[in-house]
């Protein structure tokens, strides 16, 4: 007889993006990742990376509408709006 054992492992997924915030203020936006809600913050006047602790893709609501992020994108933030480079 053959016995199959299925194991379920918890894995921590995350979406990491690189960004340049050209605005002189920090922005915090809502993100929806696989049905779970998160917030993501982009520091003022800087180029950096940020990680959303949810499994992608994540839909981020910003001043220009919504943008879908899967990870690895390069983003530009200007006037509270996010665009992909």
């Amino acid at each position: 007889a053959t016995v199959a054992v299925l194991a379920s492992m918890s894995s921590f997924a995350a979406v990491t993006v690189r960004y340049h915030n050209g605005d002189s203020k920090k922005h915090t936006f809502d993100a929806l990742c696989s049905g779970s809600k998160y917030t993501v913050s982009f520091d003022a006047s800087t180029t950096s990376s940020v990680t959303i602790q949810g499994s992608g893709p994540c839909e981020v609501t910003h001043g220009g509408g919504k943008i879908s992020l899967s990870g690895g994108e390069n983003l530009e933030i200007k006037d509270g709006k996010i665009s992909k480079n």
Side-chain angles (χ1 to χ4, degrees), residues 61-83:
T61 303
H62 59 101
K66 295 181 180 182
I67 191 167
S68 181
L69 304 175
S70 297
E73 291 92 348
N74 291 308
L75 307 177
E76 180 72 28
I77 302 167
K78 186 68 181 164
D79 299 325
K81 299 176 185 174
I82 302 173
S83 61

Side-chain angles (χ1 to χ4, degrees), residues 10-25:
S10 291
S11 63
F12 294 98
V15 174
T16 300
V17 296
R18 185 115 177 108
Y19 72 91
H20 172 74
N21 184 356
D23 294 342
S24 60
K25 71 177 256 185

